[in-house]
Amino acid sequence: MKQHIINTDNDPRINDGYSIKEHKKSGSITWDPSKVKLYLDEWQCDNQKVITGYELYEKLSDLVVLNENVLNYLLENQELIPDTWKRNSDKEPLQIFFWGTIYHNKGGDLVRYLKWSSSQKKWKSVYTWLEFQLFRESPAAVLTTK
């Protein structure tokens, strides 16, 4: 079986009008979805509470969050993405966030996530503002072990 090595230390790709605010590096990792946890903060799971991207980002500071290099690698090798990432246990579509790279443009700070497009039958990448609220369908991709 082919090993998929992803260098998270490479410089991220930048779209016109964007800059990198932060890019957390964690060396080269061998892709193994069993070593990736889809992390939800307790506030995301409680319908009575609200958490913004900025607040969640701070709470994730002690975890090894995956960055845009992993997201891009998975987009280029979509067969590596587990089917379980498409929907949560309530059958709601998931948005898998890659908090290791934070972007900035004239409108503010952004983060990217993976989202399954059932109409196109493929994974897509989307940006969202850190000021937006995040709920239980928006887990962070967190590395548990290398």
Side-chain angles (χ1 to χ4, degrees):
M1 181 189 314
K2 177 185 174 188
Q3 284 193 332
H4 295 272
I5 310 295
I6 306 168
N7 185 349
T8 68
D9 292 349
N10 287 340
D11 290 335
R13 301 176 198 161
I14 305 173
N15 291 335
D16 286 342
Y18 287 75
S19 63
I20 299 298
K21 182 172 182 175
E22 184 168 6
H23 183 67
K24 294 182 178 181
K25 301 174 181 184
S26 52
S28 291
I29 63 169
T30 302
W31 177 249
D32 180 351
S34 71
K35 295 179 180 177
V36 176
K37 177 181 178 181
L38 297 183
Y39 173 85
L40 287 171
D41 183 78
E42 64 184 74
W43 282 65
Q44 289 175 273
C45 299
D46 187 335
N47 291 332
Q48 305 301 314
K49 298 179 181 176
V50 174
I51 190 167
T52 67
Y54 283 112
E55 293 166 324
L56 182 58
Y57 181 71
E58 290 300 318
K59 289 183 164 204
L60 294 169
S61 65
D62 292 336
L63 301 175
V64 181
V65 289
L66 297 178
N67 68 24
E68 100 134 25
N69 296 343
V70 178
L71 184 149
N72 288 334
Y73 192 89
L74 293 175
L75 281 175
E76 293 167 9
N77 300 278
Q78 295 198 7
E79 70 279 3
L80 299 176
I81 304 172
D83 283 340
T84 56
W85 286 20
K86 292 178 183 175
R87 300 193 176 279
N88 67 14
S89 59
D90 294 331
K91 304 297 183 213
E92 297 167 330
L94 289 176
Q95 303 167 347
I96 313 299
F97 279 73
F98 290 74
W99 288 97
T101 307
I102 303 298
Y103 308 86
H104 183 79
N105 75 9
K106 64 182 180 180
D109 297 330
L110 303 106
V111 64
R112 283 175 69 195
Y113 62 88
L114 280 177
K115 178 180 180 179
W116 174 252
S117 171
S118 54
S119 62
Q120 296 177 348
K121 304 289 187 225
K122 68 177 187 176
W123 290 92
K124 297 172 27 175
S125 174
V126 182
Y127 290 88
T128 193
W129 303 103
L130 266 61
E131 62 202 31
F132 287 174
Q133 296 176 4
L134 298 173
F135 302 97
R136 66 177 179 219
E137 63 276 354
S138 305
V142 175
L143 191 62
T144 57
T145 59
K146 282 191 173 185

